[in-house]
């Protein structure tokens, strides 16, 4: 029997819903405590910090009232709605939570990050029939958030007026009706062009108005952020039909993306892809139209020398997904496919279990080849031919020693307290970037040169799209050709890209921060009055640099492949076994010390969710899977509730 409190959690899953010397860690891992770099330790002017902020799903609700009923979405009647939000409910974010979040960003991150990736859903849900949303309200809420970013990072002494770039993207609740986004230009692309004028480069505003996507160089001539409009990929958007037909905006969007990545490759630049709805594809879960997923996965594989990583929001749960290029059918990517609507909706909590099942099916290393020994020295052995036949066969299956068969998309949990409010700071390798021109000091005039190149390329694209394809089926005996241009692989002499091998731009780690409202309220709906305005809202949930459960050496695809295999292992290795007499509870433990098998506890996120009311101990073998599951819900669920999620498998 699923508990009433767990239903919102399950429903959310079931709907479309080596470091460089210059990259000094922002935090030290002390579970449940906030150990931030002192403000005086901000990176010297003119130098990159080697960090950026990913923040998503604010869902600001100006109708939220503390002390109201959570059954009335915290709008009316008396109830337990707290002043900073109602954790674990369907209520949206009060203004107080948004204000404190930006206060925390200004106090702790300003001067310590190089750019912000803001992945949509800033407006409240349309979940109150008595207060229906309006188009103007949606724009106003997004404008409120845009102004707050400007207020925090404003710098009138720079040519751009901001100290760092902020890259936004459109969420499925940033439009109305929600999920429905017609071909551009439309009223939403026009209004967001105005609201985000400070963030969208001048030469990209026409592109954004046409389709809601754009590119911005966050490190001039080195790194670009590509803001995707995932509404054109989203399966729940009934106004469009995937990425196969040339008449569809999704097709045009993918062609634009291909050209941008080709241009960046020619300029020896790297790219980060950002979007709102992630390309989830596990079990019966399908967030994107299949033709869009096919092209996206194909492009990530073909441009693996360019794309550093990708980040998304929307799903509110902390997890990652691996795209398998072996699942790409180039011909199918250019053809429409029909789906059973029932097949597109994931039932209950089986999505995470489906991910685990997918990972279990990925190739496994030989029994005598430990994932731990799959080190850089092992890679050198592989390149030099020192490995045996079994090891070589394994590497052949996964696309070489860097696992280039796969790509990774990271999904961050939300600010809105469906569980606990969360944000993430990602650290990247800045080796070789010392002294590069910073974004804030680069005048807009330099962009005009790039704009001219993009315009020329766009003209070429328009000509290509106007040409009619002849002989769709091809002559007898000849292979059928795809109806879109298939990108080339990287040069065979090119080294693995930053997403695969630690080098400049490689993502090294992330520190995840959360606001434990349960602990903050102390069992009531009131904030400790002693804290006053000096409340430290966000604390470290976990830091992958020092996390002894995930043991992520870096955030490369190879590291995530290893983690996925450990999560999926039904017979975990010795140090991944949760002792049989251990109850997985919300009590935090210190992760920074070495532990023996007897001492090892599964590590829930710091400072936890509600305590387990059932004292009956539950046996769990794989502590990595259990930790992944607990972190997925930001440590909010109790042990019994996690058991229920697991039992859905």
């Amino acid at each position: 029997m699923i508990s009433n409190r767990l239903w919102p959690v399950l429903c959310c899953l079931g709907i479309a819903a080596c470091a460089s010397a210059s990259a000094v860690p922002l935090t030290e891992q002390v579970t449940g405590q906030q150990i931030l770099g002192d403000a005086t330790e901000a990176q010297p002017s003119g130098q990159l910090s080697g960090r950026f902020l990913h923040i998503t799903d604010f869902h600001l609700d100006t109708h939220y009232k503390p002390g109201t009923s959570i059954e009335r979405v915290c709008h009316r009647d008396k109830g337990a709605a707290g002043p900073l939000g109602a954790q674990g409910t369907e209520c949206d974010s009060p203004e107080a939570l948004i204000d404190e979040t930006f206060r925390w960003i200004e106090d702790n991150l300003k001067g310590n990050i190089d750019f912000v990736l803001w992945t949509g859903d800033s407006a409240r849900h349309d979940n109150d029939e008595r207060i229906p949303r309006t188009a103007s309200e949606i724009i106003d809420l997004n404008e409120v958030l845009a102004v707050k970013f400007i207020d925090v990072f404003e710098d009138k002494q720079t040519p751009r007026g901001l100290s760092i770039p902020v890259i936004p993207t459109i969420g499925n609740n940033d439009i109305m009706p929600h999920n429905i986004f017609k071909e551009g230009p439309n009223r939403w692309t026009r209004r967001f062009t105005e609201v985000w004028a400070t963030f969208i480069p001048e030469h990209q505003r026409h592109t954004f108005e046409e389709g809601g996507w754009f590119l911005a160089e966050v490190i001039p001539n080195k790194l670009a952020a590509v803001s995707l409009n995932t509404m054109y990929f989203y399966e729940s958007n009934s106004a469009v039909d995937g990425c196969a037909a040339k008449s569809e905006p999704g097709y045009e969007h993918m062609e634009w993306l291909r050209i941008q990545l080709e241009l960046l490759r020619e300029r020896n630049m790297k790219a980060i892809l950002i979007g709102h709805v992630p390309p989830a594809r596990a079990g019966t879960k399908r967030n994107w139209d299949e033709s869009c997923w096919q092209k996206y996965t194909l492009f990530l594989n073909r441009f693996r020398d360019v794309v550093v990583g990708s980040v998304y929001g929307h799903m509110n749960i902390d997890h990652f997904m691996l795209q398998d290029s072996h699942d790409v059918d180039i011909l199918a990517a250019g053809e429409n496919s029909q789906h059973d609507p029932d097949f597109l909706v994931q039932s209950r909590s089986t999505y995470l279990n489906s991910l685990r099942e997918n990972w279990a099916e990925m190739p496994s290393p030989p029994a005598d080849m430990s994932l731990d020994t799959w080190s850089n020295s092992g890679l050198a052995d592989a390149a030099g031919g020192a490995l045996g036949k079994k090891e070589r066969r394994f590497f052949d299956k996964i696309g070489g020693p860097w696992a280039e068969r796969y790509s990774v998309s990271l999904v961050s949990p939300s600010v809105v307290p469906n569980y606990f409010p969360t944000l993430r700071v990602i650290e990247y390798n800045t080796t070789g970037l010392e002294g590069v021109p910073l974004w804030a000091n680069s005048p807009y005039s330099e962009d005009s040169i790039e704009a001219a190149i993009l315009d020329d390329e766009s003209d070429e694209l328009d000509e290509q799209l106007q040409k009619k394809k002849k002989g769709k089926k091809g002559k007898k005996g000849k292979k059928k050709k795809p109806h879109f241009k298939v990108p080339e692989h990287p040069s065979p002499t090119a080294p693995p890209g930053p997403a695969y091998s630690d080098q400049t731009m490689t993502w090294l780690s992330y520190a995840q921060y959360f606001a434990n409202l349960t602990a903050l309220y102390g069992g009531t709906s009131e904030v400790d009055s002693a804290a006053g305005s000096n409340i430290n809202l966000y604390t470290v949930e976990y830091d992958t640099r020092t996390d002894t459960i995930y043991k992520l050496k870096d955030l490369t695809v190879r590291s995530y492949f290893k983690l996925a295999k450990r999560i999926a292992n039904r017979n975990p290795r010795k140090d991944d076994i949760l002792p049989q007499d251990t109850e997985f509870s919300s009590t935090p433990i210190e992760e920074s010390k070495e532990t023996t098998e007897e001492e090892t506890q599964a590590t829930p996120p710091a400072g936890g969710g509600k305590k387990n009311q059932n004292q009956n101990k539950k046996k769990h073998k794989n502590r990595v899977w259990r930790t992944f599951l607990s972190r997925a819900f930001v440590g909010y669920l109790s042990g019994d509730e996690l058991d229920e999620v697991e039992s859905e498998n």
Side-chain angles (χ1 to χ4, degrees):
M1 185 74 177
I2 303 297
S3 68
N4 291 333
R5 239 185 91 246
L6 193 54
W7 274 114
V9 174
L10 303 181
C11 291
C12 184
L13 286 175
I15 62 174
C18 66
S20 65
S22 60
V24 180
L26 179 64
T27 66
E28 295 180 9
Q29 173 67 22
V30 178
T31 306
Q33 298 181 24
Q34 182 182 35
I35 308 295
L36 296 168
D38 190 278
T40 60
E41 297 176 0
Q43 195 68 22
S45 177
Q47 294 291 327
L48 293 168
S49 69
R51 305 178 197 93
F52 64 89
L53 168 65
H54 178 210
I55 193 164
T56 192
D57 291 76
F58 284 99
H59 286 293
L60 171 59
D61 182 3
T62 55
H63 301 284
Y64 184 105
K65 293 182 176 61
T68 54
S69 170
I70 59 176
E71 284 77 19
R72 299 293 183 266
V73 293
C74 301
H75 286 171
R76 67 186 69 86
D77 298 343
K78 291 184 179 181
L84 295 176
Q87 68 276 25
T89 73
E90 295 182 356
C91 296
D92 286 319
S93 300
E95 292 179 88
L97 173 62
I98 303 304
D99 290 343
E100 288 297 330
T101 296
F102 277 92
R103 187 201 309 275
W104 188 91
I105 291 172
E106 182 166 18
D107 291 346
N108 296 283
L109 300 184
K110 186 175 182 179
N112 282 307
I113 56 175
D114 300 325
F115 50 93
V116 176
L117 305 180
W118 168 23
T119 52
D121 266 12
S122 297
R124 70 179 175 101
H125 293 91
D126 197 7
N127 55 6
D128 189 343
E129 294 181 355
R130 291 173 58 176
I131 314 177
R133 298 194 312 170
T134 65
S136 59
E137 180 190 13
I138 292 171
I139 293 299
D140 288 345
L141 292 173
N142 272 273
E143 193 164 24
V144 167
L145 272 297
V147 169
K148 288 184 179 296
F149 276 114
I150 293 171
D151 287 346
V152 171
F153 298 110
E154 186 174 33
D155 188 346
K156 295 182 179 179
Q157 303 302 314
T158 66
R160 300 179 188 259
L162 295 177
S163 59
I164 60 173
V166 176
I167 313 301
T169 192
I170 298 172
N172 66 304
N173 281 286
D174 293 326
I175 53 180
M176 68 174 297
H178 77 287
N179 299 340
I180 307 303
F181 197 91
K182 296 180 180 180
E183 182 178 4
N186 56 47
R187 63 172 176 171
W188 299 108
T189 60
R190 293 187 184 100
R191 289 295 286 118
F192 278 112
T193 301
E194 298 172 358
V195 173
W196 294 339
T198 304
F199 310 133
I200 302 173
E202 290 183 17
H203 67 272
Q204 290 279 323
R205 289 175 193 165
H206 175 73
T207 297
F208 182 83
E209 187 170 331
E210 287 293 315
W213 56 74
F214 72 98
L215 176 149
E217 295 187 22
V218 293
I219 304 177
N221 299 310
K222 298 293 182 181
L223 178 65
V226 182
S227 179
L228 303 173
N229 183 0
T230 56
M231 293 302 96
Y232 290 142
F233 310 152
Y234 193 23
E235 191 67 58
S236 296
N237 183 6
S238 60
V240 298
D241 190 18
C243 301
K246 292 182 181 180
S247 59
E248 290 296 326
Y251 179 96
E252 182 182 355
H253 193 358
M254 283 295 178
E255 284 296 284
W256 174 86
L257 174 60
R258 174 184 60 79
I259 287 178
Q260 304 316 305
L261 295 177
E262 287 177 348
L263 281 170
L264 293 173
R265 175 183 279 169
E266 291 174 7
R267 297 176 60 195
N268 197 30
M269 288 183 62
K270 307 303 177 186
I272 296 174
L273 306 185
I274 79 166
H276 179 64
V277 180
R281 187 176 184 264
T284 58
K285 183 70 172 179
R286 296 289 190 276
N287 271 354
W288 287 14
D289 179 271
E290 182 66 9
S291 62
C292 302
W293 185 93
Q294 290 273 342
K295 287 186 175 181
Y296 174 80
T297 302
L298 172 66
F299 290 0
L300 285 182
N301 178 256
R302 294 298 175 92
F303 291 106
R304 59 189 182 274
D305 56 328
V306 178
V307 178
V308 176
S310 56
V311 297
Y312 297 90
H314 178 66
M315 298 180 76
N316 299 322
I317 54 174
D318 174 5
H319 68 298
F320 64 94
M321 51 194 71
L322 288 160
Q323 290 82 220
D324 185 353
S325 64
H326 282 200
D327 289 341
V328 172
D329 182 336
I330 293 179
L331 292 178
E335 299 176 349
N336 285 313
S337 58
Q338 299 298 322
H339 299 295
D340 179 353
D342 293 334
F343 185 71
L344 302 175
V345 178
Q346 180 68 52
S347 61
R348 300 188 178 178
S349 65
T350 53
Y351 168 65
L352 292 173
N353 283 288
S354 295
L355 278 179
R356 190 186 189 196
E357 291 173 4
N358 286 357
W359 296 338
E361 294 173 359
M362 297 191 306
S364 298
D368 55 350
M369 180 186 178
S370 169
L371 286 173
D372 284 340
T373 62
W374 185 11
S375 60
N376 288 332
S377 60
L379 298 179
D381 289 341
L387 294 177
K389 290 183 179 180
K390 292 182 180 180
E391 288 80 6
R392 291 186 188 180
R393 190 177 299 117
F394 168 65
F395 283 149
D396 287 343
K397 288 181 180 179
I398 66 171
W402 291 275
E404 292 180 276
R405 168 178 165 178
Y406 300 93
S407 56
V408 171
S409 297
L410 303 185
V411 182
S412 294
S414 55
V415 172
V416 65
N418 285 131
Y419 312 112
F420 289 130
T422 313
L423 51 84
R424 180 176 291 181
V425 177
I426 299 176
E427 180 183 344
Y428 66 98
N429 192 328
T430 58
T431 300
L433 297 178
E434 299 82 3
V436 299
L438 299 184
W439 176 88
N441 299 324
S442 301
Y444 279 111
S445 59
E446 294 182 5
D447 287 339
S448 60
I449 300 175
E450 179 188 350
I453 297 175
L454 291 173
D455 288 341
D456 289 344
E457 198 71 23
S458 297
D459 291 340
E460 180 182 341
L461 171 61
D462 291 339
E463 292 177 6
Q464 293 175 4
L465 295 178
Q466 296 304 319
K467 292 181 180 179
K468 293 183 179 180
K469 297 282 186 179
K470 296 183 178 180
K472 291 185 177 180
K473 295 184 179 180
K475 295 182 180 180
K476 186 176 181 180
K478 292 188 176 181
K479 292 183 178 180
K480 188 177 178 181
K481 295 182 179 180
H483 304 311
F484 65 98
K485 185 175 179 180
V486 178
E488 298 292 334
H489 281 284
S491 168
T493 60
Y500 297 88
S501 173
D502 185 7
Q503 58 192 268
T504 306
M505 302 293 183
T506 294
W507 293 0
L508 301 171
S509 64
Y510 65 80
Q512 187 143 294
Y513 298 91
F514 78 143
N516 186 346
L517 298 184
T518 299
L520 192 66
Y521 293 157
T524 71
S525 61
E526 298 298 326
V527 177
D528 184 359
S529 59
S533 61
N534 296 320
I535 182 174
N536 287 324
L537 184 60
Y538 289 92
T539 59
V540 177
E541 182 192 348
Y542 66 98
D543 188 333
T544 63
R545 274 189 314 109
T546 55
D547 176 31
T548 60
I549 305 295
Y550 280 3
K551 300 180 180 179
L552 287 170
K553 180 179 179 181
D554 49 36
L555 304 185
T556 60
V557 174
R558 183 165 59 109
S559 292
Y560 274 106
F561 179 92
K562 293 180 185 180
L563 176 59
K565 293 302 295 182
R566 290 174 60 217
I567 290 172
N569 197 345
R570 300 287 179 173
N571 297 296
R573 62 190 188 183
K574 184 177 180 180
D575 57 343
D576 284 347
I577 294 176
L578 184 66
Q580 292 186 357
D581 60 349
T582 298
E583 180 179 3
F584 194 96
S585 70
S586 59
T587 305
I589 67 166
E590 186 175 339
E591 291 186 296
S592 58
K593 67 178 182 179
E594 290 295 324
T595 56
T596 66
E597 181 185 355
E598 292 74 23
E599 294 172 333
T600 299
Q601 303 268 339
T603 306
K610 292 195 173 183
K611 294 183 178 180
N612 188 355
Q613 301 298 323
N614 190 339
Q615 298 302 316
N616 294 325
K617 294 182 178 180
K618 184 74 175 179
K619 296 179 181 179
H620 302 284
K621 291 184 178 180
N622 189 333
R623 68 168 182 162
V624 189
W625 159 242
R626 188 68 169 181
T627 300
F628 171 76
L629 198 59
S630 179
R631 288 176 177 173
F633 301 102
V634 201
Y636 180 75
L637 299 188
S638 70
D640 283 349
E641 289 168 323
L642 288 174
D643 291 344
E644 293 185 54
V645 174
E646 282 192 297
S647 67
E648 290 297 303
N649 186 17

